[in-house]
Amino acid sequence: MFDKLTNTTDDYSVTILRLALGALFFAHGAQKVLGWFGGFGFRGTLGFFTQQMHIPVVLAILAIAAEFLGGIGLILGFLGRVAAFGIACNMGVAIALYHRHFGLFANWSGNQQGEGIEYHILVIAIALVIMIRGSGALSIDRSLSRSL
């Protein structure tokens, strides 16, 4: 089972997608966990998710972990399929619960009350490529798949 999760090739196109998605989600996760980049930190984010958005505590913690740990996993290329799956689920839930109400487009002009789903769709598509192809070149998964 573990070998199926880590099996990948030296595909540099997947590596580019993995690193870009990992960097973005590490930054989003660091906002939520560490308070970096203008974020509210773990307590603030958890309070917002549970009190304002009425997300159950366990699911809020999973969402925060998916972004932060998923971003780290993607950057390192360690269990990239699992990290991508967590991020894709996170984005799917964000669409279903919140962002779908604002249409397709991001709030470029500031005229909407919230952000649309275009970013989320791109993230899910990139995550699907990583789930299908693996972590690619320059990854811990690649090193592990060679030894297996």
Side-chain angles (χ1 to χ4, degrees), residues 63-88:
I64 293 167
E67 290 190 18
F68 186 64
L69 298 175
I72 292 170
L74 288 174
I75 290 168
L76 297 175
F78 181 63
L79 296 176
R81 286 184 169 96
V82 175
F85 178 75
I87 288 170

Side-chain angles (χ1 to χ4, degrees), residues 6-147:
T6 59
N7 189 30
T8 190
T9 64
D10 277 329
D11 189 343
Y12 281 92
S13 59
V14 176
T15 304
I16 293 167
L17 292 174
R18 174 179 55 83
L19 290 173
L21 191 62
L24 285 174
F25 273 87
F26 172 76
H28 280 281
Q31 286 179 314
K32 291 171 178 67
V33 173
L34 305 172
W36 293 0
F37 312 113
F40 298 109
F42 185 74
R43 277 187 200 263
T45 302
L46 189 61
F48 175 75
F49 281 1
T50 57
Q51 294 168 13
Q52 303 294 102
M53 298 186 75
H54 307 290
I55 298 172
V57 173
V58 173
L59 297 178
I61 291 171
L62 282 173
I64 293 167
E67 290 190 18
F68 186 64
L69 298 175
I72 292 170
L74 288 174
I75 290 168
L76 297 175
F78 181 63
L79 296 176
R81 286 184 169 96
V82 175
F85 178 75
I87 288 170
C89 289
N90 197 358
M91 293 294 99
V93 170
I95 289 171
L97 295 182
Y98 186 73
H99 293 281
R100 68 183 168 91
H101 302 292
F102 305 109
L104 175 65
F105 298 106
N107 193 12
W108 296 105
S109 58
N111 297 335
Q112 298 172 189
Q113 291 181 331
E115 297 292 334
I117 64 172
E118 66 180 339
Y119 169 77
H120 304 80
I121 290 171
L122 287 171
V123 166
I124 291 169
I126 293 169
L128 285 172
V129 170
I130 296 167
M131 284 188 280
I132 293 166
R133 302 285 299 180
S135 294
L138 306 175
S139 66
I140 293 173
D141 287 351
R142 181 64 183 142
S143 295
L144 293 172
S145 66
R146 283 187 186 141
S147 66

